[in-house]
Structure formats: structure tokens, C-alpha cells
Amino acid sequence: MSGDMEKDFAVTAAYARADANPAPSAIFVQITDPHIREPGRLAYGRLDTAPYLRAAVAAIGSLPQAPQAVVITGDLSDFGRAEEYAHLASLIAPLAMPVYLLPGNHDTRTGLRAGFPGHAYLGTDGPVHYAVDIGALRLLALDTSVPGKSHGELDEAQLRWLDTELMRCAGRPAVIAMHHPPFATLIGHMDKIGLLAGAAELERIVARHAHVERIICGHVHRPIERRFGGTVASVCPSPAHQVCLDLQPDAVSAWILEPPAFRVHALDPDGHLVSHLAPIGRFDGPHPFHENGKLID
């Protein structure tokens, strides 16, 4: 077979496979750590985070496949103030799909609940945890925030709740959402305020439930992955600022305006979660690879 024939055969076969594959049975977007301030106030005295979230919302609205939900895994606000949550609500208002919120260490449970009274899944008291369906998968959300502290914890009650909910949805793909990642990221100053209680117990629970497809987290403002309890735990970058990548244990706590992004999680026909990193911004393209069925030479 000639080189040109091989190219044509490969292209035709790829198209045939694409036509044969059904669409994902669930698609959702994960945003994390927008750190919204009151209108006109700057985070850290120099960063207006609102335009970055506005751009993320616009990018979500432009995705080729509309997600069935958006999950925001904490640090929604910068100081948990009512004005910050009101500003956040206005920024995410254009999203046409359900939006599920979780507190991070920069949030307050009281402020979050007061700022989003229509989000009944947030409950009325104590840690925020809930279970909701997104298409064919089950989303289980845990609250790792500790009032007044920067580190995270999971208490016995939340872990019992998670174990029970995972048993109830056995046989269905499940995703666990939380703010603090349950593993050391090797970024020293962030690990000092990481999940300091409950990680080992969480890993034992997850290891008992093979249908946990992913643990999705925030807090560290970087794309990070690690095996955990037989599944994958992943951190999503921020739509605004990122934590500097420096694995020196005593590295300085600092942020940088690297390209912002969110994650698109899609459930394939076999019930496995496929996770993509979607940069936020305007880029040249799209441009075709092929013309008249042939690779452009």
C-alpha cells in the first residue's frame, strides 16, 4: 500500500470510528478558585479576578457540547463577604445549566448559603455535603473547609455519609468533589494548608468502591494528578491566577498569571470519566487538518 493510500485509509477509518461512537452520557465543567472580590476591589491589592471568571463563563457557553452542569470546587469568594457572593452570583448568572457550589477555605458557609438561597442542596447548617445526578453519573460533594482556618479536614460524620452514599450508588460511575486535595502536591506552602485530617480514612473508603471514577479538587491553582485509593485525584487550575510551580519544600508562597483554564469531564459509553483541560482565552483557529478527505500537504 502506498503512503498516500495509507493516509487516506487512516483518515477514513478514523471518521468511521468517530461516527460509530455514541456521544458521552454525561458532560460537566469544573471551575475552581475564582476568588471573587467586591466590585472594584482587587485580590492581593493588584488582581481583578472578575474579568477572568467572566471569560470562563463565556468559554463554557462556547463549548461545542453544552455541559449538563458546572461544579465550582471552592474559594468562590476571597473573604466570604456578602458583597463578594452577590458579585459571584451576577458573574455566573449567564450559565444556562445547573451550577453546584462548594466552600473552600476563603469562603464562609453562612455567607455562601445566604448568598445563594435558591441552592437548596447547600443545606442549612454544618458542613456542606450533597449528592446529585449529572446525566449517568453521581456527584458526591464534601466540605473540607474549617471555619477560620486555611487547612482542610474531613470529619467522621462526612466520611460515614460518603461511604453510605457510595454504597447507594454502587454500579454507577461516581465523582467525589472537594476543595482541598487529599494528597501532598509537593508544593510546600500549599501542603502546609492542605487536607490535614481525614485523608487516610478517605482513601480507605474510596478503595472499597471501584465505581469512583475521579476525585476532583481545587485549592492549589494548578493542574495536578495523583493515584489515590485506586482511582485518580485531580486538581483543577484557577480561571484567574495560579500558584507558582516550585517544588522546593521551603519555596516562597507566590502566585503568577499563567494561562487560566477549567476542566471538562465527560463520561464515555463504558462509564469511564475522561477529563480534559480547557485553556481560557482567544487562540488562532480552528484550522482543518484535511481537505477533500486528504491530509493537507
Side-chain angles (χ1 to χ4, degrees), residues 141-163:
L142 295 171
D143 183 353
T144 58
S145 68
V146 180
K149 304 293 183 180
S150 295
H151 73 275
E153 297 178 3
L154 283 172
D155 62 23
E156 186 179 343
Q158 282 209 85
L159 292 166
R160 273 200 314 270
W161 174 86
L162 175 66
D163 197 24

Side-chain angles (χ1 to χ4, degrees), residues 204-225:
R204 284 193 286 271
I205 290 170
V206 171
R208 292 199 297 267
H209 299 281
H211 60 296
V212 176
E213 280 291 315
R214 194 79 81 253
I215 301 172
I216 60 172
C217 316
H219 188 54
V220 191
H221 295 234
R222 297 207 64 82
I224 309 169
E225 291 83 27

Side-chain angles (χ1 to χ4, degrees), residues 84-259:
E84 294 176 336
Y85 290 121
H87 196 191
L88 173 67
S90 70
L91 290 167
I92 64 175
L95 292 171
M97 65 290 296
V99 178
Y100 298 108
L101 308 173
L102 262 179
N105 52 289
H106 282 254
D107 295 300
T108 65
R109 295 166 184 163
T110 301
L112 176 60
R113 286 167 168 143
F116 293 89
H119 291 234
Y121 62 87
L122 292 172
T124 59
D125 189 37
V128 173
H129 56 244
Y130 54 86
V132 294
D133 292 329
I134 302 177
L137 69 80
R138 189 71 165 162
L139 176 75
L140 307 171
L142 295 171
D143 183 353
T144 58
S145 68
V146 180
K149 304 293 183 180
S150 295
H151 73 275
E153 297 178 3
L154 283 172
D155 62 23
E156 186 179 343
Q158 282 209 85
L159 292 166
R160 273 200 314 270
W161 174 86
L162 175 66
D163 197 24
T164 299
E165 289 297 323
L166 285 171
M167 286 187 284
R168 286 176 176 167
C169 68
R172 291 182 59 191
V175 173
I176 299 170
M178 53 200 289
H179 181 64
H180 297 79
F183 61 89
T185 66
L186 305 183
I187 299 177
H189 64 93
M190 295 304 296
D191 289 339
K192 289 177 183 176
I193 56 169
L195 188 69
L196 302 187
E201 294 85 347
L202 174 66
E203 186 162 23
R204 284 193 286 271
I205 290 170
V206 171
R208 292 199 297 267
H209 299 281
H211 60 296
V212 176
E213 280 291 315
R214 194 79 81 253
I215 301 172
I216 60 172
C217 316
H219 188 54
V220 191
H221 295 234
R222 297 207 64 82
I224 309 169
E225 291 83 27
R226 180 185 181 277
R227 284 180 55 82
F228 183 88
T231 188
V232 175
S234 73
V235 181
C236 182
S238 169
H241 54 299
Q242 313 307 326
V243 169
C244 290
L245 178 56
D246 189 338
L247 305 185
Q248 195 67 27
D250 58 352
V252 173
S253 173
W255 57 273
I256 187 171
L257 285 177
E258 290 179 349

